[in-house]
Amino acid sequence: MYWKEELECMPVAERRKLQLARLQAQVKRVYETVPYYQRRLRERGIDPTRIKSLDDLAYLPFTTKDDLRQTYPFGLFARPMSDIVRLHASSGTTGKPTVVGYTQQDIETWADLMARALVCAGVGPDDIIQNAYGYGLFTGGLGIHYGAEKLGATVVPISAGNTKRQVMLMQDFGVTVLSCTPSYALHLAEVMQENGIDASHLRLRIGIFGAEPWSVSMAHEIEHKLNLMALDIYGLSEIMGPGVAMECPYKNGLHIFDDHFLPEIINPEMGEQLKPGEEGELVITTLTKEGIPLIRYRTRDVAVLYDDPCPCGRTHVRISRILGRTDDMLIIRGVNVFPSQIEHVLLEMGQTEPHYLLVVDRKGPLDCLEVWVEVSERLFADEVRRLEELEQAIRREIESTLGIAVKVRLVEPKTIERSQGKAKRVVDRREVYERERR
């Protein structure tokens, strides 16, 4: 078993000393090797020798995704390209992609952390892992893959897509662990049901799901449909990839491997640090990354930090499930709306399929929100009155949660597009409205 008790269960005071030493070294490194950081630190009058305690982290500047785009492609790299052995990049849907580089040591660190994450989830060398995260520039596939091999588990590198084949291999190979996005896990369950395959006849026992926000209610839905324990994994390409944090079977938050990543929660509007237990934006400083070390990177993910003990014995700080994203947050008539809030309502009610879409539009001067919800074949064939009653019940629950009026539209099965990667939950038509007005 790949288990590093000295790191996982390190006394908190000892870990804080390690974090400080690594933070001081990292700030010195970026000051000496990254012109962008040198300029930013000098603008604030900060010399690396000023970092005397972890509290001094608050004096350092934030780094954002825009900073990576403005220095595209290699402007934030701290090592020459001759030392970079791999490049990954985001999809670049809103402009230039964000590019990250890894030294050989970064790759080793990543594999080591991902192996620790798998052990945290209860995975061992005897497991067979079907890795349905995408391979390529996206970090998900290769991150899980290298960690699984480090652990000594068997990997099925199937990547995303070809769902019927995925199901066949689960059966034929005796797969015990599934890794993919939670929305794709639901799609797999749907295809299995359509083909008369009972998930309880498979050997699946653990699901490692991430790359998109998902609620506890969706976790229960996946567990019921796939007959496994659904655990949350967190990571992002800019910081490393998957394996930054992992939920253990106690489901008491995700253990962030804070010997390598220093987390904070801040007020996303004002930027000040918040206390454990307070909800805000997750900010991460990389403590050991060589290729592209990042100082106070604003993830845009909304979460809560926990520092109380976990029954599993690990002493890491933990983060909550990602509650939403500050850049995915919708503002409807002055009210902040996260897709996860609506997902929670739908899954708690339990009378529809777990597939939904938020359609935002503008009628005159007012924003309006329409929630499309899939219903089952059986329910869709029911009498109109019952569908209307369900529609009204869903609308009342969502309005009670959000505090604004919404319209609910029940749609036929398979109306909402299935995703093999990150699910698309929002269609915002307001920009089209504004362009037409101009």
Side-chain angles (χ1 to χ4, degrees):
M1 176 63 74
Y2 193 92
W3 166 241
K4 296 193 172 183
E5 185 175 0
E6 72 281 6
L7 295 175
E8 305 294 336
C9 303
M10 182 184 292
V12 173
E14 189 176 332
R15 182 177 283 113
R16 288 181 67 83
K17 289 180 182 177
L18 176 64
Q19 288 172 334
L20 177 58
R22 288 180 169 180
L23 176 64
Q24 290 170 327
Q26 193 74 299
V27 174
K28 183 175 185 291
R29 184 181 302 121
V30 299
Y31 186 85
E32 293 175 347
T33 61
V34 184
Y36 176 82
Y37 274 125
Q38 186 178 87
R39 186 178 77 251
R40 292 287 304 279
L41 291 168
R42 283 178 173 173
E43 288 171 353
R44 290 190 166 217
I46 298 173
D47 184 275
T49 59
R50 180 177 173 178
I51 307 301
K52 301 294 186 182
S53 75
L54 291 178
D55 292 337
D56 293 335
L57 183 68
Y59 298 118
L60 298 174
F62 292 115
T63 308
T64 68
K65 184 166 282 193
D66 283 342
D67 294 326
L68 274 78
R69 290 191 175 120
Q70 289 169 15
T71 56
Y72 174 89
F74 309 135
L76 287 184
F77 283 20
R79 297 287 286 269
M81 289 304 295
S82 57
D83 290 345
I84 301 298
V85 300
R86 190 192 300 171
L87 296 173
H88 280 282
S90 71
S91 58
T93 54
T94 57
K96 290 283 189 181
T98 55
V99 180
V100 290
Y102 299 77
T103 64
Q104 188 60 53
Q105 182 56 54
D106 287 335
I107 296 295
E108 292 296 324
T109 300
W110 187 11
D112 184 78
L113 283 165
M114 193 59 238
R116 287 168 61 182
L118 291 169
V119 171
C120 183
V123 180
D126 293 332
D127 279 300
I128 300 174
I129 303 174
Q130 184 151 320
N131 189 15
Y133 283 110
Y135 283 67
L137 288 178
F138 173 61
T139 54
L142 285 170
I144 298 280
H145 187 111
Y146 274 66
E149 289 188 340
K150 187 93 169 181
L151 175 60
T154 302
V155 190
V156 183
I158 195 166
S159 194
N162 206 338
T163 306
K164 288 185 178 180
R165 187 164 180 253
Q166 298 252 9
V167 173
M168 179 189 75
L169 294 186
M170 276 186 212
Q171 295 174 293
D172 296 347
F173 291 177
V175 170
T176 58
V177 179
L178 172 65
S179 59
C180 61
T181 62
S183 54
Y184 189 59
L186 284 172
H187 182 49
L188 280 165
E190 191 175 59
V191 171
M192 288 167 60
Q193 185 179 27
E194 289 170 356
N195 289 273
I197 297 168
D198 187 343
S200 66
H201 295 162
L202 302 179
R203 292 186 60 204
L204 285 175
R205 62 185 193 89
I206 296 173
I208 296 176
F209 307 124
E212 61 190 24
W214 56 304
S215 64
V216 173
S217 299
M218 182 178 278
H220 293 328
E221 184 84 10
I222 293 171
E223 288 179 333
H224 172 70
K225 292 189 171 185
L226 287 178
N227 193 43
L228 48 67
M229 178 172 57
L231 297 175
D232 197 2
I233 188 170
Y234 178 75
L236 59 167
S237 298
E238 298 92 324
I239 296 300
M240 184 184 72
V244 173
M246 183 73 222
E247 188 175 31
C248 75
Y250 285 96
K251 299 190 175 184
N252 197 29
L254 285 76
H255 295 268
I256 185 164
F257 298 109
D258 53 4
D259 47 324
H260 290 269
F261 311 107
L262 189 57
E264 308 168 71
I265 295 291
I266 66 165
N267 180 321
E269 295 180 1
M270 306 302 293
E272 78 273 15
Q273 291 178 334
L274 301 178
K275 296 177 181 178
E278 295 184 304
E279 180 181 313
E281 181 183 344
L282 178 63
V283 173
I284 297 176
T285 297
T286 64
L287 296 177
T288 58
K289 198 167 184 186
E290 295 181 342
I292 180 169
L294 295 180
I295 304 297
R296 302 192 80 194
Y297 183 74
R298 296 189 61 162
T299 68
R300 301 299 181 186
D301 289 324
V302 178
V304 177
L305 277 185
Y306 306 118
D307 60 1
D308 56 310
C310 178
C312 77
R314 290 175 175 82
T315 55
H316 308 292
V317 170
R318 303 185 311 284
I319 58 173
S320 67
R321 285 177 173 272
I322 300 305
L323 305 173
R325 286 185 55 83
T326 58
D327 52 1
D328 281 351
M329 181 181 72
L330 299 167
I331 301 178
I332 310 293
R333 298 192 292 280
V335 176
N336 296 344
V337 175
F338 289 103
S340 56
Q341 293 173 290
I342 293 170
E343 176 184 294
H344 179 73
V345 169
L346 296 175
L347 291 170
E348 281 293 300
M349 292 185 69
Q351 298 182 61
T352 63
E353 296 298 299
H355 304 288
Y356 65 95
L357 187 69
L358 310 186
V359 181
V360 188
D361 211 336
R362 183 161 291 163
K363 306 295 184 184
L366 295 176
D367 293 339
C368 55
L369 173 62
E370 184 171 275
V371 182
W372 293 14
V373 188
E374 273 191 22
V375 295
S376 65
E377 295 276 6
R378 176 189 58 77
L379 194 57
F380 195 77
D382 214 330
E383 57 187 72
V384 173
R385 182 180 59 81
R386 281 203 58 193
L387 290 173
E388 289 176 346
E389 288 174 353
L390 176 59
E391 201 169 73
Q392 291 170 8
I394 294 172
R395 177 181 55 78
R396 285 193 299 268
E397 288 296 321
I398 292 176
E399 289 181 347
S400 175
T401 298
L402 301 181
I404 58 171
V406 301
K407 182 178 180 181
V408 173
R409 178 179 170 189
L410 300 182
V411 299
E412 296 180 59
K414 310 296 174 58
T415 298
I416 295 171
E417 183 180 357
R418 302 299 189 258
S419 172
Q420 296 175 3
K422 296 185 181 183
K424 183 176 181 180
R425 300 295 192 195
V426 178
V427 173
D428 196 335
R429 295 172 175 166
R430 288 177 292 186
E431 292 184 5
V432 176
Y433 172 84
E434 290 298 328
R435 285 199 299 270
E436 288 176 348
R437 283 189 64 191
R438 292 195 291 266

